[in-house]
Amino acid sequence: TGPMISECLGNLLRITLSAEYFEDKYLSFSVIDQSGIAWELDEAMASQCGYTVTYSNWRNIEFRASALSCHSRLEKDVFTVTIQLKASHTPDMKNTATHLKSASCRYGPWSPRELVCESNYMEVSVRREVPQTVKDFIQDEPEDWTLAFPEAKAGEASVWQIVFHQPEEKKALLVSDAWSAGYGLNTTDTRVLLRIPYTAVQIQLVEVDLFLQAQGITFSAVRSSTFYKQRWMILMVDTAVACPVDGVGYTNKTIIWTVPKYIQPLSAGATGFKDVLVEAGVDLHKLSAKEMASRKYVLSNDLNAITMKIPIGAEGGYYKTSVSSGQHGTKYTINLFLEHQWEDNKWGLTKHTIIKEIETPFEQVELAITNNSNLSARLMNVTVGRFLPDVELVNLTIDGATVAVPEAVQHGYLTHEIRYANGSKAYVIKVPFDAPSIKKEYMRADMRAHTLNVTLAFITHPTSETFTVPVITVSAVKDAVLPSARGFCDGRNLRLVITRGNVDQNWLPFISDWHLTPEAAQKYNYSLRDNGTHLAISVPFLSSHVNYEDFHTSGIKASLHLTLKDGITLANRRDFSISCRFSPSELIQCLPNGTVVITTVKLVGIADLDTSLLVLRDRQCKPSLVTEKTATFKFNVNTCGTSRKFNSTTMIYENDVLYFRPGNDTPVYQLKFVCSYAIKQTVDVRYESKKNPPPSIKPGFGSLALSLKLFKEKSYSDPYQESEYPVVKYLRESLYFEVELLQPEDARLELNLDDCWATNSRSQDSLPQWPILINGCENSEDSYRTVFHEVNYSIRVKFPQHLKRFEVRMFTFVQGTTLLQE
């Protein structure tokens, strides 16, 4: 145990770094040579010098060194490798912790030729022989001997030149050039070594045929001869090497790895092949036939090929998380190795070791999302997973904002891991029902749907792939509080006060199908106040949205119906109503001068009643003010068919408001009203005489706010809106104008019009012009003179003296017989 564990595995040394010690740290590897100098490793040096750094079983880091690596110390059959590891929490490698690890392994006896296929390089080492001297050989550049890597010229012998045999030519490189090109060259007392990265230029892809198979196996191969100096002789050895590129297939959840036995680049000029040994294993550990059988591995050694069959998911491999097109999935990974020994008449014994990391294709994995919400604790509790150990939750996206896991608690989100016995894990997300990001939606009765909508972002180690998992869960909870209402009436208004619940934040108030907004309420002189907890509505007794149900001497029954509708679907959610009886005196005024002002209302039972067609007994007496539900008459008691009665003390005037359907002389609506006046009445008036100066009017200056509106009809109830301009009218059609003093609201003021004129453009000073009013009077030269209309007090008109209404017939400007148009 400890942070670094070493193993001797044949001609390889493996040092495993525990994830427990080095997880989430930045690492730097160096190799210490025999002089104590540290050589920092990068990918190029690793493949050139016989080192491999890889990950195994999720987060453990594995360092492997060849027995003939550049910096290993060889003593007889023992090789020693020393590494230095620096670990830091920051990428700038400050405040590093340094670890040293030295390990020695015994390996022997060496075969005449040994080939190693590592994941990042190919290596061939051959026994040094002393063949015939090359005659008449002259070394032209003796200085090249001194340019070799120090380990390459240590001892009596050193490599001088390497020749690559390619189909089109032979290319010779001196040691210094070969080393600069990334090749590793070395000699020992007994061996000559060539190491070739898979990225080397001289690599050829060679297809090796398999008997009775349509497609062969592709190998990375290099044919080369290495020349080395030994005393006064130049010696040459064959340093060909070949490693399989493919040969892996997948059938019925099984990995099938096939390696040809006879590889042409390795057997050139050799005959008499004979199998000596075939062994295989996992993670560089050889497995016996019994162990393979227990894992359901199958190793077959046929005439032409060696085949391994591994069930996907079998012991020895492991699953790791993978991401494809943003989708979560897994791949099964297993690190196989094969050792094949054979004899031939050229080399004697050859040992070929192949390390093959196999990764199955991506397979998407659906993630379970389990809702374990605790209704009594009012807590959303969701479990997401299972995940493999190489997955980490890094952030959450809540209401469009992405926050890291530690910061999510500020939004009410608690997260933690659940680890299972097999190493897998799941993530638990807990959020209170009342968290702002939990969407609440009314369902029915007392039920609300609480929806958690959060996106989880994950990262995989060590590949740093990312993927997201949207989590949407709904919990139905009996916690709906519906709005309630209290209704009452005062002398002139119907009032509703709605106490809001917890489901109606987006519900909208409607009267009939009319959306009651603050702007609409202001237009009709309604009162609408909303403080977040209560919605208060006040509607005048005489208004177009009040229903009048019956009419008796005891009073008028008026009702207001309000509906709360869903703000999105406009479905009816809640209905409220208030009904009250109002005194009939609210509808009639019997003025001392004999003027009667009476307002009649349209009852809900007479749906087709047109208030503009209401009349008094004298059908010529029609309403002076009409709305959809009311009609107001103003007349003198001596007119409109009013009858009069006397008794000893009172004079009584009676009349009826009638409604006749067209073509029928029998009224379908009749409202009798009475005005009573005392015959004898004494009023005491106290007064005091003073010598007051006569009233006078003095000119003054001030700011007045005026408005000029054009109305659609004589009732002056419906003005043209801004969107309806310009207004199109026919000649001699009536135009109804109203001028109103808006500010100041002083009852002592009276508005009088002086001059009014029409122009042919928007400019008031443009020509031609035509006067409509001159000194407050109609234009006597006009064919159709301006008509003034009386303004009476109404719901909309508080100060009749502040308004002037007049009617003008439509005309156009002409010059001669030609119309003037702008």
Side-chain angles (χ1 to χ4, degrees), residues 371-404:
N371 186 353
N372 302 310
S373 295
N374 187 331
L375 302 185
S376 60
R378 295 189 58 76
L379 191 68
M380 300 285 277
N381 186 328
V382 178
T383 302
V384 183
R386 298 184 176 184
F387 297 97
L388 294 174
D390 57 352
V391 168
E392 180 187 4
L393 174 64
V394 288
N395 60 52
L396 301 84
T397 300
I398 305 165
D399 282 344
T402 299
V403 297

Side-chain angles (χ1 to χ4, degrees), residues 17 30 160 241 326 410 423 434 450 455 516 559 629 715 777 810:
L17 280 60
S30 297
W160 168 59
V241 63
Q410 300 173 14
D434 299 320
H450 293 64
T455 299
L516 183 59
S559 62
K629 293 188 177 181
S715 65
C777 299
M810 186 65 187

Side-chain angles (χ1 to χ4, degrees), residues 741-758:
L741 173 63
L742 301 176
Q743 293 291 336
E745 292 185 350
D746 189 339
R748 296 173 299 173
L749 298 177
E750 181 174 354
L751 175 67
N752 289 294
L753 302 181
D754 191 13
D755 293 314
C756 178
W757 66 93

Side-chain angles (χ1 to χ4, degrees), residues 151-378:
E151 280 69 25
K153 61 190 178 72
E156 295 182 358
S158 59
V159 175
W160 168 59
Q161 181 176 266
I162 181 169
V163 176
F164 294 98
H165 303 274
Q166 295 180 301
E168 63 277 3
E169 63 176 349
K170 294 182 180 180
K171 183 176 180 64
L173 291 178
L174 296 175
V175 171
S176 56
D177 296 329
W179 190 265
S180 298
Y183 296 96
L185 304 124
N186 203 351
T187 60
T188 69
D189 292 342
T190 58
R191 312 288 291 178
V192 175
L193 168 92
L194 173 63
R195 189 176 296 111
I196 305 172
Y198 286 111
T199 56
V201 175
Q202 275 71 32
I203 284 183
Q204 301 172 51
L205 294 179
V206 177
E207 186 170 301
V208 178
D209 294 331
L210 288 174
F211 182 67
L212 297 179
Q213 289 198 16
Q215 188 172 357
I217 307 298
T218 303
F219 276 72
S220 289
V222 172
R223 291 279 319 277
S224 64
S225 299
T226 300
F227 293 83
Y228 65 97
K229 176 180 80 169
Q230 182 162 321
R231 298 176 184 174
W232 60 89
M233 294 181 293
I234 299 297
L235 305 179
M236 182 191 75
V237 292
D238 183 351
T239 47
V241 63
C243 292
V245 175
D246 51 24
V248 179
Y250 309 95
T251 305
N252 297 327
K253 298 290 185 179
T254 300
I255 299 169
I256 302 174
W257 180 29
T258 303
V259 180
K261 278 187 173 182
Y262 306 112
I263 304 160
Q264 195 277 332
L266 302 181
S267 57
T271 58
F273 293 96
K274 178 184 176 183
D275 264 345
V276 175
L277 182 67
V278 173
E279 290 185 301
V282 175
D283 291 331
L284 296 176
H285 289 287
K286 295 178 181 178
L287 296 178
S288 67
K290 184 178 180 181
E291 288 173 318
M292 287 194 183
S294 69
R295 299 184 182 194
K296 297 185 179 178
Y297 296 1
V298 175
L299 177 63
S300 57
N301 182 8
D302 299 329
L303 182 63
N304 297 299
I306 303 166
T307 303
M308 283 192 75
K309 294 183 180 179
I310 310 292
I312 295 177
E315 179 187 352
Y318 64 96
Y319 283 98
K320 64 180 180 182
T321 303
S322 184
V323 180
S324 177
S325 301
Q327 298 298 311
H328 166 267
T330 60
K331 293 180 179 179
Y332 174 74
T333 301
I334 189 166
N335 198 15
L336 299 176
F337 89 98
L338 177 69
E339 184 179 292
H340 180 206
Q341 297 185 35
W342 71 86
E343 290 181 344
D344 58 43
N345 67 338
K346 179 179 178 181
W347 289 100
L349 186 64
T350 295
K351 180 191 287 188
H352 195 187
T353 301
I354 303 172
I355 300 170
K356 187 73 171 179
E357 183 174 339
I358 296 175
E359 186 177 89
T360 60
F362 173 85
E363 184 173 347
Q364 186 173 341
V365 175
E366 294 293 334
L367 290 166
I369 299 175
T370 308
N371 186 353
N372 302 310
S373 295
N374 187 331
L375 302 185
S376 60
R378 295 189 58 76

Side-chain angles (χ1 to χ4, degrees), residues 440-660:
K440 292 91 173 174
E441 189 174 9
Y442 179 60
M443 297 173 63
R444 62 189 179 278
D446 58 351
M447 302 291 290
R448 279 198 305 173
H450 293 64
T451 302
L452 168 67
N453 188 345
V454 61
T455 299
L456 309 181
F458 297 88
I459 190 169
T460 64
H461 296 288
T463 54
S464 297
E465 294 179 300
T466 58
F467 64 95
T468 59
V469 178
V471 177
I472 302 175
T473 60
V474 180
S475 296
V477 186
K478 289 185 177 182
D479 66 349
V481 178
L482 295 174
S484 58
R486 177 174 60 90
F488 60 95
C489 297
D490 56 21
R492 302 188 63 86
N493 299 281
L494 294 93
R495 301 182 184 271
L496 276 173
V497 178
I498 299 171
T499 302
R500 289 199 175 277
N502 61 9
V503 297
D504 55 317
Q505 292 81 3
N506 298 316
W507 293 2
L508 305 175
F510 277 76
I511 299 177
S512 300
D513 288 327
W514 179 66
H515 182 198
L516 183 59
T517 63
E519 296 76 19
Q522 185 177 16
K523 175 183 176 182
Y524 286 91
N525 200 28
Y526 297 171
S527 173
L528 177 66
R529 290 172 296 154
D530 190 349
N531 64 3
T533 61
H534 293 81
L535 177 67
I537 300 166
S538 176
V539 176
F541 157 61
L542 291 175
S543 66
S544 59
H545 296 99
V546 171
N547 293 324
Y548 305 100
E549 298 179 7
D550 60 41
F551 203 135
H552 296 286
T553 54
S554 60
I556 307 160
K557 186 178 181 182
S559 62
L560 174 67
H561 297 273
L562 183 130
T563 301
L564 294 180
K565 296 189 176 187
D566 189 287
I568 299 175
T569 65
L570 294 182
N572 289 359
R573 292 301 191 188
R574 195 82 164 148
D575 293 308
F576 300 108
S577 64
I578 172 68
S579 296
C580 297
R581 285 200 176 273
F582 289 85
S583 169
S585 62
E586 294 291 329
L587 301 181
I588 189 169
Q589 296 180 64
C590 301
L591 302 179
N593 64 356
T595 299
V596 178
V597 179
I598 183 166
T599 299
T600 186
V601 296
K602 176 180 178 179
L603 298 179
V604 293
I606 312 176
D608 61 345
L609 188 148
D610 183 349
T611 54
S612 65
L613 299 181
L614 289 167
V615 295
L616 298 179
R617 288 176 181 172
D618 182 348
R619 296 191 187 183
Q620 298 301 314
C621 292
K622 297 180 180 180
S624 58
L625 179 65
V626 173
T627 69
E628 182 186 352
K629 293 188 177 181
T630 65
T632 300
F633 295 86
K634 185 178 180 181
F635 60 98
N636 190 273
V637 293
N638 297 318
T639 62
C640 295
T642 306
S643 62
R644 182 174 57 186
K645 297 180 182 179
F646 294 91
N647 60 29
S648 59
T649 59
T650 306
M651 185 164 50
I652 301 171
Y653 292 90
E654 293 182 358
N655 206 327
D656 296 290
V657 178
L658 305 169
Y659 178 70
F660 299 90

